[in-house]
């Protein structure tokens, strides 16, 4: 679930359609290769639209701080 959009540093919307069968790794490769952006930048949301305009897939890198505390 996505939070309110005002919490993101940047939001990128891919123009055109994207094959929504891509998984996380495929979308990250697309962001890196086609758009020359860092898919692992924190608080940056990437949005992709499929052929039908009623479906959207997003890519967001979040770090869970509890994993670094040993919990």
């Amino acid at each position: 679930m996505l939070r309110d959009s005002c919490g993101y540093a940047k939001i990128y919307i891919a123009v055109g359609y994207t094959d929504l069968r891509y998984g996380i790794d495929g979308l990250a490769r697309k962001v890196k290769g086609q758009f020359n952006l860092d898919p692992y930048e924190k608080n940056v949301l990437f949005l992709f639209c499929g052929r039908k305009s009623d479906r959207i897939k997003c890519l967001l890198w979040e770090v869970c701080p509890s994993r670094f505390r040993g919990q």
Side-chain angles (χ1 to χ4, degrees), residues 29-45:
R29 278 192 301 271
K30 188 174 185 79
V31 166
K32 181 82 171 171
Q34 187 173 346
F35 303 120
N36 200 23
L37 297 169
D38 181 13
Y40 303 109
E41 189 175 349
K42 290 186 218 173
N43 293 324
V44 175
L45 179 66

Side-chain angles (χ1 to χ4, degrees), residues 5-18:
S5 63
C6 65
Y8 301 111
K10 296 177 187 172
I11 299 175
Y12 292 101
I13 302 173
V15 177
Y17 76 91
T18 301

Side-chain angles (χ1 to χ4, degrees), residues 63 67 70:
V63 177
R67 291 194 175 180

Side-chain angles (χ1 to χ4, degrees), residues 54-70:
D54 64 341
R55 295 198 174 103
I56 292 177
K57 201 169 200 179
C58 70
L59 181 66
L60 174 66
W61 180 256
E62 290 184 316
V63 177
C64 181
S66 64
R67 291 194 175 180
F68 295 109
R69 286 187 253 151

